[in-house]
Amino acid sequence: MALAIALVALTAGCAVEASPPKGNCSPGYEAPSKLGSFSAQQRGPGAAIQWGIYPNYPATRYIVDIFVGRQKVDGKNQAYPPHGSVSARTVAGKSGQDFTASGQIFDAKGNVLNFQLKCVIA
């Protein structure tokens, strides 16, 4: 529901927020969204986590922070859809904690989507 509301507000030329319900990282979680694919995958307990943010609309800038639990482990500030992975070493001992990808997506018209993807680490 939050992402459907965000789609309407995003086309109106303002800043909006999207924070879908939290799921499990393993075997994979894709946030329900008409805005694009916001996902994370983990093969099982202790395995690395792969993630990606791919909106369905043209964006010019992506800023993303990646957290394992409360610890920031990566960040991106780039002009193309961000994706990456968090190593098994970084995930070790974090079962039950949150993996979080949060940030902003900007388009050429000045619209901003503030998003947060959360899933529970296996």
Side-chain angles (χ1 to χ4, degrees):
M1 180 79 168
L3 288 173
I5 293 168
L7 179 60
V8 173
L10 184 64
T11 59
C14 59
V16 296
E17 293 190 23
S19 185
K22 183 169 47 173
N24 292 314
C25 298
S26 179
Y29 175 67
E30 183 168 359
S33 172
K34 295 180 187 221
L35 293 174
S37 174
F38 299 75
S39 64
Q41 302 83 36
Q42 184 183 26
R43 289 188 178 180
I49 298 173
Q50 289 77 38
W51 60 273
I53 307 298
Y54 302 98
N56 286 338
Y57 58 90
T60 58
R61 176 68 44 198
Y62 302 83
I63 299 173
V64 182
D65 290 322
I66 304 299
F67 295 87
V68 171
R70 294 183 185 188
Q71 179 184 7
K72 182 177 174 182
V73 297
D74 195 6
K76 309 280 185 188
N77 184 343
Q78 58 196 43
Y80 56 92
H83 60 281
S85 63
V86 177
S87 72
R89 184 178 186 182
T90 301
V91 172
K94 307 291 186 185
S95 180
Q97 294 186 34
D98 288 344
F99 165 82
T100 306
S102 65
Q104 300 171 314
I105 300 170
F106 301 85
D107 72 12
K109 296 179 182 177
N111 297 312
V112 180
L113 172 64
N114 296 306
F115 69 90
Q116 185 173 74
L117 170 74
K118 279 186 180 261
C119 61
V120 179
I121 299 169

